[in-house]
Amino acid sequence: MTNITDLGVAAIRAGVAQGDFTAREVAEGFNANVAAASALNAFIVTTPEKALEAADKVDADRAAGKPLGSMAGVPIGMKDLFATHGVQTTAASHILEGFIPQYESTVSSNLWAAGAGMLGKLNLDQFAMGSSNETSYFGNVISPWKRSGGSNAQMSPGGSSGGSSTAVAARLAPAATGTDTGGSIRQPAAFTGITGIKPTYGRCSRWGVVAFASSLDQAGPMAHDVRDCAIMLGAMAGFDPKDSTSLDLPVPDWEAGLDGNLKGKKVGIPREYRMEGTDPEILKSWEDGIAWLKDAGAEVVDISLPHTKYALPAYYIIAPAEASSNLARYDGVRYGLRDLPEGSGLQDMYAATRAAGFGDEVKRRVLIGTYVLSAGFYDAYYTQAQKVRALVAQDFENAFKECDVILAPTTPTASFGLGEKTDDPLAMYLNDVFAVPASLAGLPAMSVPCGVNSEGLPLGLQIVGKAFDEQGVLNAGLAIEERARFTAKPEKWW
Amino acid sequence: MSNYRIQGATGEWEVVIGLEVHAQVTSQSKLFSSASTEFGAEPNAQVSLVDAAMPGMLPVLNGECVRQAVRTGMAIEAQINKYSRFDRKNYFYADLPQGYQISQLYHPIVGEGQLLIAKDEKAGIPQDKVIGIERIHIEQDAGKLMHDQHPTMSYVDLNRCGVALMEIVSMPHMTSPAEAGAYVRKLRSILRYVGSCDGNMEEGSMRADVNVSVRKVGDPELGTRTETKNVNSVRFVMAVIEQEARRQVDLIEDGGSVVQETRLYDPDKNETRSMRSKEDAHDYRYFPDPDLLPLNLEDAFLEECRSSLPELPDAKRLRYTGELGMTDYNAAQLTAEVETFARFETLLAETARQAGKPEAEVATQVANWTLSVAPGVIKSLGADARLEHNTAAANAAILQMVSAGTVSGGQAKEIYEIVLKIGREPAEIAETEGLKQQSDTGAIEAEIDKVLAENPDKVEQYRSGKDKLFGFFVGQTMKAMQGKANPGVVNELLKAKLG
Amino acid sequence: MSVDKQIVAKIASLARIQMGDAELERMVPELNNILSWVEQLGEVDCSGVEPMTAVIPNTLRLREDAVNADPLTGGDRRDDILANAPAREHGFFGVPKVIE
């Protein structure tokens, strides 16, 4: 028998349902992997007992002949941005250290209801602000991948869902939740050779997810393959009356709808994504992807997304603006850190608490956001950015008159070494240049691994679909997956 | 134009006033969470995870609050904006857990409207005046801080946090304390008619920010204004204007200038003072709340709002003076408060029913009874009045006996006293307590004859032209009848006999 | 538009983040870098374009006015509200004394 922890969501669920192994055995296997992987720093908190408890319930239900949920017996990692009842939730920030929610996020509740169990809370960039997982108060997450040729450099797992990408890639969890504001699911998935999908904005409830930028934040699954993502997204998604931006639509059975035959489908190739400075190996992987989709029966069309270049700067106004307001609640009054210097008043307490509680990148973005919203600058920055955002969305709408899905690279480069980009925030931001446009437009988008570069590091291809058409995205992803036959794995060094 | 003037050393000044009234919307639950709005709960008992701004909490809009704001807008004949939006107003304070208040700056739900304040010469309002209203928007109330419970700490209670408020912003159209007072009273009356706010200023359901500036009479330019926050009674609103106008005039005449600032009113000292603690460089960084979508109101929703509006004070007053033939004074008095007109209209319907007459024919009688007779009796009884006996049926029965001439006005009051104390049937009281007046012409005639026989000289004087003596004969006759004679019958018989 | 140390200090104060001199000075070039980069948005002709307010066309739903309709968004859970409070006093949150 193969090692249980090499299995993905579908295989575990099937094995448990058929009695090949128990859910408890699965949980124990992954708990052991988690316990042995502290060198990766993927988890902020581990909850082996939660994983076992959920597993035992599944085993008992199965023994009693009760119907099992779509994630029955699958232990997962939970990004530490989702509030979990009774389990510390920090957003990887000192300011929330020790915060124990008295509530459970809608998405995590949905997953538990579907029979999943929790292995622990996954590390991330602080408040999901970052693209390399180097802004966490709880330390960097380290990718299980190394450059080939015996390099010892620690590589970035991407961000902000870096704990999630590392956990899945290193087989500490068969799947994990992620959140994507400007690429935070797709970019880490690409960096670690796994699959991740950000659904249409509003598919997954934001209730109980620590907010970064409300108009962009969207949860999604990160797993080994397209099928696992389809299963897990089905469990996470659904209308939630507690979230005003939640989509009141039925959740399709994406797994049942999986079909890698793209006959009759048109795939758009956006010419503006051929940016100067993009790694030639990335461009090569894009060509491969085009060939694979043709092979799957799709017609390839050239499309234009003229405002692509402006998406990233617009994002770096809108997201910090929303964040500056969303993070105002961390003030030391009701929960989390309080720094009260001797003899200080209320406003001093706020300033001291926030200075001590927020990391540098968070402060930087809160300041940018505060500035662009301040009197006299609002129209020049924020209003202009929201207009550009409307144009970016309009570009996609026009493009989708000519195609069903769009294929592009996920990132302009493969993973980089930790510390290589931390001196230049702007260079770091540019990592999300291909991911951000779909975020601004609220469209479903996924990253699928397509190969490794000359340094042995994984590369990902991105598929962007029409609003609500996760199925189209998943199917195109499946077509690539079937042809890329990505089997590379990081060699275990931890 | 009011003639309110401030006499300064350099001449006459006038005052320009605008009011921002914050009215708590009548709803069971809060604007963006389902926690209760009920007054007086234990601290922090009516606080949801949303109100406490726990990480990841999101607002969901209460439809009733939207409905009430729209109905209020309709009641002031305002433009209702089918498209509106919520914005965040960002600032840090311990009573504001989110670090922002959800409000509506750029696209309020209600646009321009107006409100009529009635002429009241005694109060210094020489004619009816229309006061423009700029907008009404919906926003969250903040929590409460208590400063006197601990030597080094303030305590935070978030029960009120997130309760829905309407902010009703007037134009700077008022020019005297009296107009401002009348505006607040009228607005309160409309809100209570509509049912969108209970108007209870003591419990803080209504409070006003008072914007005051002064200028030389005839100067077309507005002066610099100050804003006195959270004024919680009509009397204080008027006092703030008087004090603030005086202070500004004195300041300018002494060579100073008015600073645009936020002030606070101290009722004990009857003065306003600068709120320096709030003066720290305000920059609210308003932007559309990304947790909420634009609000689009459908025609059916607006139609329901409109059709559920009651008859409003101005329309009611016109109907009372027109259809019901009432005096302006009575109409104004009866329509000012919801309780008053409700009591009046119930009694009017019952009285008309018992009398088998149209309402217009009994309206004046019911109005007088409602406004002066009944309140007088209730007041004189004090704690002895048991208001559960104060039914429309009993009141109408008394009025019916009065108009039939069965009981006199004085007897009616006595019967009413007994009704209020004990609750018996008015007709039965009149019978058993001897509280009926005599309409039997035979008995009255006998007494008249006696009176005339006893006063031959006065009869002589009357007949020779001293008409005033008629009252004397009426008085003597009534006295002889122990006040129980029907005065109408007495008059008629006396006239006939005196020739 | 660019910021200097004084402006950064003002923004930091608005955002209630205490910053020392050294930190302010470090922030100035970082913020200017980002600001001058985002200013390329000024090149885009946005005449006639409405700023985006809803990512996915969707209308705002109105909630029924019912108390504690969903316990997750209702009151009557004071212990939960106060569970993580740094200073909890007789059912209140405690903060340093505010002079109004």
Side-chain angles (χ1 to χ4, degrees), chain B residues 29 34 43 60-61 147 150, chain C residues 63 65 68 76 78 91 93 97:
Chain B
S29 62
S34 69
V60 181
L61 182 58
H147 306 298
H150 188 281
Chain C
R63 201 184 82 232
D65 183 27
N68 300 347
D76 292 337
R78 176 154 82 163
F93 297 99
K97 197 159 196 110

Side-chain angles (χ1 to χ4, degrees), chain B residues 468-487:
Chain B
K468 279 188 201 157
L469 280 170
F470 190 73
F472 166 79
F473 297 118
V474 173
Q476 291 299 306
T477 311
M478 291 303 280
K479 193 176 164 192
M481 296 289 296
Q482 291 156 332
K484 288 178 187 168
N486 182 330

Side-chain angles (χ1 to χ4, degrees), chain B residues 27-36 43-45 47-49 54 60-64 66 83 85 92-93 146-147 150-158 280 283 285 293-295, chain C residues 10 13-16 53-54 56 58-70 72-78 80-82 87 89-100:
Chain B
S27 67
Q28 302 296 308
S29 62
K30 294 183 180 181
L31 183 55
F32 293 114
S33 86
S34 69
S36 170
N44 291 309
V47 180
S48 69
L49 299 164
M54 290 289 165
V60 181
L61 182 58
N62 184 342
E64 179 63 11
V66 173
Y83 173 94
R85 235 172 48 188
F92 287 89
Y93 206 58
M146 262 146 279
H147 306 298
H150 188 281
T152 61
M153 276 201 273
S154 292
Y155 286 175
V156 186
D157 173 12
L158 299 177
D280 138 55
D283 187 342
R285 291 158 284 135
L293 299 159
L295 175 59
Chain C
K10 195 190 138 215
S13 150
L14 260 182
R16 296 296 185 277
T53 47
I56 296 297
N58 201 349
T59 50
L60 190 58
R61 292 182 304 276
L62 298 178
R63 201 184 82 232
E64 287 280 323
D65 183 27
V67 173
N68 300 347
D70 180 340
L72 290 174
T73 67
D76 292 337
R77 52 189 305 163
R78 176 154 82 163
D80 290 347
I81 297 298
L82 293 165
E89 300 276 334
H90 313 291
F92 295 94
F93 297 99
V95 296
K97 197 159 196 110
V98 180
I99 293 116
E100 276 180 308

Side-chain angles (χ1 to χ4, degrees), chain A residues 174-198:
Chain A
T177 55
T179 63
D180 191 316
T181 303
S184 282
I185 287 175
R186 291 161 284 160
Q187 185 256 19
F191 274 21
T192 56
I194 65 165
T195 306
I197 180 167
K198 174 194 97 70

Side-chain angles (χ1 to χ4, degrees), chain A residues 145-359:
Chain A
W145 293 86
K146 297 278 191 197
R147 288 190 177 111
S148 54
S151 164
N152 234 340
Q154 292 188 335
M155 303 304 292
S156 166
S160 67
S161 309
S164 308
S165 64
T166 281
V168 175
R171 308 271 164 186
L172 314 185
T177 55
T179 63
D180 191 316
T181 303
S184 282
I185 287 175
R186 291 161 284 160
Q187 185 256 19
F191 274 21
T192 56
I194 65 165
T195 306
I197 180 167
K198 174 194 97 70
T200 309
Y201 181 81
R203 272 288 186 204
C204 290
S205 170
R206 293 184 297 112
W207 195 89
V209 186
V210 174
F212 164 14
S214 312
S215 74
L216 294 150
D217 295 344
Q218 191 50 211
M222 299 170 76
H224 288 296
D225 59 28
V226 172
R227 176 169 303 271
D228 286 1
C229 280
I231 294 169
M232 185 160 159
L233 180 59
M236 293 167 73
F239 173 60
D240 182 2
K242 299 189 296 303
D243 175 358
S244 296
T245 60
S246 173
L247 292 171
D248 191 359
L249 293 174
V251 177
D253 186 343
W254 289 305
E255 185 193 7
L258 284 177
D259 180 2
N261 182 352
L262 302 187
K263 203 153 258 152
K265 298 288 179 192
K266 287 183 181 172
V267 178
I269 309 300
R271 64 180 80 111
E272 290 80 6
Y273 279 54
R274 289 182 197 282
M275 287 181 184
E276 254 180 73
T278 304
D279 183 342
E281 290 190 281
I282 296 277
L283 293 175
K284 163 73 174 59
S285 73
W286 195 6
E287 292 307 322
D288 290 344
I290 293 170
W292 291 329
L293 292 181
K294 279 185 183 163
D295 183 60
E299 182 190 338
V300 170
V301 296
D302 183 41
I303 58 158
S304 174
L305 300 168
H307 296 91
T308 298
K309 175 186 169 195
Y310 300 105
L312 197 60
Y315 172 86
Y316 273 97
I317 289 174
I318 294 163
E322 293 183 11
S324 71
S325 177
N326 282 337
L327 269 58
R329 65 189 55 198
Y330 307 105
D331 59 7
V333 173
R334 298 165 315 286
Y335 46 78
L337 183 71
R338 168 179 290 195
D339 190 352
L340 182 57
E342 187 66 30
S344 61
L346 178 69
Q347 300 295 342
D348 307 323
M349 179 185 90
Y350 290 155
T353 299
R354 293 161 62 79
F358 291 148

Side-chain angles (χ1 to χ4, degrees), chain B residues 1-15:
Chain B
M1 205 60 208
S2 94
N3 38 28
Y4 184 78
R5 295 288 183 272
I6 300 112
Q7 300 299 329
T10 61
E12 287 200 322
W13 296 75
E14 60 187 16
V15 62

Side-chain angles (χ1 to χ4, degrees), chain B residues 370-387:
Chain B
T370 306
L371 285 173
S372 59
V373 182
V377 172
I378 292 171
K379 199 175 168 203
S380 72
L381 285 183
D384 291 340
R386 292 174 54 191
L387 296 179

